[in-house]
Every structure is written in C-alpha cells, then in structure tokens.
Amino acid sequence: MATAATIGVSELEGVTDAYKELMEKASAQDFGDIAQSGCFIPVGLDEQSHPVYLVLANKLPLGISGLDKMMSYMCKTLEPLVTGGHYSIIYSHHGLAQESTPDRAWLLKTYQLLPRNYKKNLKHFYILHPSTWLKVLFMMMSPFLSEKVWRHKVVYLDYLQELPDTLDRALIKSKIPHIVKEHDKQLLAQPEVAETVMSSMEVLGKELMSSFATPFSVFGGTDPSKWDNAYGDNYKSSYSTTNNQNDSDDDDDEDDEDDSDE
C-alpha cells in the first residue's frame, strides 16, 4: 500500500520532539515489509465519508523494534489525514503473538508522543474480540487518557456481527483473516461462555474503576511528588501536560460537535 506524502509538522498541534524524530526516521525507512504483511490496511469510509483503517494483531511485526516501525508506518499514512477531519481504526485482537504484545509503558509512550490532531480527530477506536487482559490494560491506562477517549471513542466489539452499520461491513469482513472468523464462530457457538466472561469483566471493571476514584491508587499513591520514585520525572511532567491538554481537547471537541449539529 502506498503511503501518502508527509505534511509539515507546522500543520499539527502539540508536536513533540519524539514525534519529530519518529517522522524523520520514517522519511528514510523502507516500509515494504509492513505494507506487504497487511497488518494495517484501509477498509473504506464510514457513512460520513471519514476513512477507516483495520489493524490485524495476528499480522503485527515481532518485537519492540517491529512495533516501532509499524507505528512509524501508521503515522506516515495517517498524518495527511488527521488535520483535515475524522478517522476511525478497527483493531482485531485475536491471534496476537506474545512477541508482538506491547507493554503498558510502550502504549503510554506512543500515546503521549502523538500530536493532538491524532487524538482529537480519532472518531472511534473499535476493538474486535478484546481479551480480558486487554480490557484490564485499558482500565489501568484510563488515568492517563482523556475521558473523551476512554468513554466515547473506545468501543468494544465482542463479535463481528457487532460491527456498526455506519461502516462498510462487507469490505471489513472480507479483509478479516480466516482464523479470526473461526474464532468468532466459536464464540457465537458458546454464548454462555461469553456471557460469563462479560459478567466477570463487569464486576472487575467496577472494582478497578472504584480504585481509580482515588487518582493513581493502583500505581502507588496519590501524591504526585512521589510518582517519580516509580516512573521517573517524565511520567509526572507528561501526565500533567497530557491532562491539561486533554481538557482542552475535550472542550474543542465539544465545540466541533456543536458546530456540526447547527
């Protein structure tokens, strides 16, 4: 898949040095292997003509270096789009290899290096066939995420049939690997298992979110001056900056939605 031309960073908001470095490396990288793997592909438009992309976990590259390269490829592809309007991503989780599994630190680092446009203009982040581990991971990351991202943009899809009609469902299903479709059939054939898992997750979610009622209780205390003991100064400063920025993002998003309703 050919990637679009990179736009100037001056057109992006909240550009970090880490992002600049990422895109400088991307301009000289050969992404032929990533494109050929099919781990990140376009799957049409939604009903409002916003682009939709599919990420396939079973085709992700191995190791942190591979994930970094894939992230560069995604940014190089999406960068020309994020200043002009909304976009959505579907992440198919089944078949993720252990060697391709990012830890929380990598996810947080990646989230924080992205310019504001990527977060603000992300319309939906659909997660197909989420595991219990993945849901817990997102719960643990929720204090670092904008409430708008956590509550309104992340959408769990337990079955393929739950893909919304606002998307090109036929095209998306045609790009879903056979092993994912077989996994979906197994889940549908055992609804009592899925119901038990969902019930357990609801209880676990309430317990974890109750913990988050006191900021960072899961991460070792509520005093920001002590965060650097466990995570370093960067976490303390980036959390403050990120949340201040997220508050602004939410306000702007609400303004955008109000404008679109007029």
Side-chain angles (χ1 to χ4, degrees), residues 93 137 188 197 250 260:
H93 183 62
L137 180 63
L188 287 171
V197 171
D250 290 348
S260 65

Side-chain angles (χ1 to χ4, degrees), residues 13-25:
E13 302 175 49
V15 176
T16 63
D17 290 338
Y19 181 79
K20 291 179 181 179
E21 182 180 352
L22 178 78
M23 298 312 294
E24 286 176 2
K25 291 181 178 179

Side-chain angles (χ1 to χ4, degrees), residues 35-219:
Q36 188 174 9
S37 72
C39 63
F40 178 67
I41 55 176
V43 283
L45 308 173
D46 65 16
E47 64 176 0
Q48 295 180 320
S49 298
H50 298 137
V52 181
Y53 285 83
L54 175 64
V55 178
L56 297 170
N58 69 303
K59 296 186 177 183
L60 290 180
L62 302 179
I64 294 299
S65 60
L67 292 175
D68 286 341
K69 186 175 182 180
M70 185 207 66
M71 193 64 204
S72 297
Y73 178 71
M74 290 178 63
C75 288
K76 191 171 183 179
T77 302
L78 294 174
E79 192 182 64
L81 305 175
V82 297
T83 58
H86 293 290
Y87 69 100
S88 293
I89 291 178
I90 304 168
Y91 169 64
S92 172
H93 183 62
H94 180 69
L96 177 66
Q98 181 65 35
E99 297 84 358
S100 300
T101 303
D103 57 20
R104 182 169 57 87
W106 186 91
L107 292 172
L108 285 174
K109 179 196 70 174
T110 300
Y111 177 81
Q112 291 169 351
L113 74 80
L114 292 175
R116 182 185 177 206
N117 307 75
Y118 286 87
K119 306 163 189 176
K120 178 182 177 182
N121 290 331
L122 175 64
K123 186 176 181 181
H124 291 298
F125 184 68
Y126 300 99
I127 303 178
L128 176 64
H129 301 142
S131 64
T132 301
W133 166 84
L134 187 62
K135 290 183 177 180
V136 171
L137 180 63
F138 266 87
M139 289 177 186
M140 293 179 66
M141 288 180 60
S142 62
F144 297 92
L145 304 178
S146 160
E147 182 180 0
K148 191 173 188 68
V149 170
W150 172 245
R151 296 187 59 184
H152 302 293
K153 297 190 178 185
V154 176
V155 180
Y156 292 122
L157 305 174
D158 294 299
Y159 308 103
L160 276 169
Q161 67 185 23
E162 293 179 348
L163 285 167
D165 294 331
T166 56
L167 305 178
D168 190 340
R169 298 178 61 180
L171 177 58
I172 294 168
K173 290 181 179 180
S174 71
K175 301 297 184 180
I176 295 293
H178 178 71
I179 62 168
V180 176
K181 292 178 180 178
E182 287 299 310
H183 176 68
D184 192 75
K185 289 180 181 179
Q186 293 174 9
L187 291 176
L188 287 171
Q190 304 177 59
E192 69 281 357
V193 175
E195 183 177 349
T196 300
V197 171
M198 291 304 296
S199 177
S200 299
M201 281 306 305
E202 182 178 359
V203 173
L204 178 59
K206 290 179 179 178
E207 292 176 351
L208 285 174
M209 295 314 292
S210 175
S211 300
F212 292 141
T214 303
F216 288 87
S217 57
V218 174
F219 300 103

